[in-house]
Amino acid sequence: MFFSKIVRSNIIKSKFVRNFSGHSADDARKEVVRWFQISIGMVSFSALALAYILATDVHVHQDKPDLYVTNNKPYPWECPECNLFDSKCWSNCKAKAKGLPTSDSHH
C-alpha cells in the first residue's frame, strides 16, 4: 500500500509538471543574475549620488525672520503667549503662575 502511494504520487508529479514560463531553468537563472547585477549597480549609483549631494550641499542656517514669530493677539487658552505645542513655553508660563523660577531665568 505504501509503495503504491509513492508510485502514484511520482506518476502524478511527472505527468502534470509544466514549464509555464516557456524558458528553461538555465535561462531563468541567467535572468535572476542579470537583474541582481542591475540592482547592485543602481544601489551603488544611488549611494554615490547621495554622497555627492551631501558632500557638496551648502546649507546656511539663518535665524527666523520676524514674520514667523509675530503674534498680534493672544491665544485663547491658559497661557496666551504660548503656541499650542510649545512645551517649554507652557512649562515656563505655569511656573510663572505658581511663582516658581523658570528655565529662562537661569540665563
Side-chain angles (χ1 to χ4, degrees), residues 46 71 99:
S46 299
N71 185 14

Side-chain angles (χ1 to χ4, degrees), residues 4 7-8 14 17 20 23 27 38 42 46-47 55 65 73 84 86 99 106:
S4 65
V7 171
R8 194 174 336 132
S14 66
V17 172
F20 289 103
H23 300 288
D27 290 339
I38 290 172
M42 291 307 296
S46 299
K73 63 181 185 175
L84 187 58
D86 188 359
H106 298 296

Side-chain angles (χ1 to χ4, degrees), residues 27-101:
D27 290 339
R29 277 189 216 94
K30 287 178 184 176
E31 281 294 311
V32 168
V33 169
R34 176 178 166 226
W35 281 104
F36 181 76
Q37 290 172 343
I38 290 172
S39 299
I40 294 295
M42 291 307 296
V43 167
S44 301
F45 172 75
S46 299
L48 289 173
L50 177 66
Y52 174 76
I53 290 169
L54 291 177
T56 60
D57 186 29
V58 178
H59 184 78
V60 179
H61 293 278
Q62 298 176 353
D63 293 331
K64 288 182 181 178
D66 288 335
L67 91 116
Y68 291 119
V69 292
T70 302
N71 185 14
N72 294 331
K73 63 181 185 175
Y75 292 114
W77 41 74
E78 184 181 346
C79 294
E81 69 274 359
C82 297
N83 290 330
L84 187 58
F85 298 109
D86 188 359
S87 60
K88 186 176 179 181
C89 182
W90 276 90
S91 61
N92 288 337
C93 178
K94 290 180 181 181
K96 284 180 190 175
K98 292 180 182 179
L100 300 173

